[in-house]
Amino acid sequence: ANGTVFGLGVYTVAYEASDAAGHTSSCSFTVTVQDDTFPAITCPTNIVQDSSTSSCNSVVTYSEPVGTHACFAVTTSRVSGPAPGSVVPVGTESVVYRVVDSLGRESTCAFNVTVEDNTVPVATVCPGNQTVNNDA
């Protein structure tokens, strides 16, 4: 009927018309409902944090992104980069996540984890004052 909501799939719709004299005519058509939508995934924003004062690295934590799709089951996985809770050295590392739906369609997202060394160095051995004579 007009206004019918169809789920995913292929449907045959048949119509029949008749008049008062008993004449009839019919027709049919196919309605194909498909989902061309890729799964969605959103990564955290770039992370920048200081290294610890006793080493040149930092434990970096973040919430792992979770992929979604309105119609299909999805699997989300980290492709590269440090996992949440990893010890990350000074520098920048890219983290990439991928979501794949049950039809094999995939989407990715990425963000950077940057660990900065902002610790001021401390001189631990310093010679005493020196006096030098010039024997010219």
Side-chain angles (χ1 to χ4, degrees), residues 7 18 58-60 63 73 75 78 81 84-85 91 93 105 108 110 121 130:
S18 59
S58 184
V59 175
V60 176
S63 295
T75 302
R78 184 174 40 84
E93 294 194 34
R105 295 175 297 200
T108 60
Q130 302 289 316

Side-chain angles (χ1 to χ4, degrees), residues 46-47 60 78 80-83 86-96 110-115:
N46 291 336
I47 298 169
V60 176
R78 184 174 40 84
S80 63
S86 295
V87 175
V88 178
V90 169
T92 300
E93 294 194 34
S94 179
V95 182
V96 179
F111 62 100
N112 289 326
V113 171
T114 302
V115 175

Side-chain angles (χ1 to χ4, degrees), residues 31-119:
V31 174
T32 302
V33 179
Q34 58 189 25
D35 181 4
D36 293 331
T37 305
F38 280 74
I41 188 167
T42 303
C43 277
T45 58
N46 291 336
I47 298 169
V48 177
Q49 67 185 56
D50 289 339
S51 63
S52 70
T53 56
S54 62
S55 66
C56 293
N57 55 46
S58 184
V59 175
V60 176
T61 59
Y62 59 88
S63 295
E64 289 190 284
V66 177
T68 60
H69 194 285
C71 300
F72 300 106
V74 298
T75 302
T76 303
S77 58
R78 184 174 40 84
V79 176
S80 63
S86 295
V87 175
V88 178
V90 169
T92 300
E93 294 194 34
S94 179
V95 182
V96 179
Y97 277 83
R98 174 177 54 216
V99 58
V100 180
D101 69 19
S102 56
L103 298 179
R105 295 175 297 200
E106 67 179 65
S107 297
T108 60
C109 69
F111 62 100
N112 289 326
V113 171
T114 302
V115 175
E116 297 177 336
D117 178 4
N118 293 317
T119 304

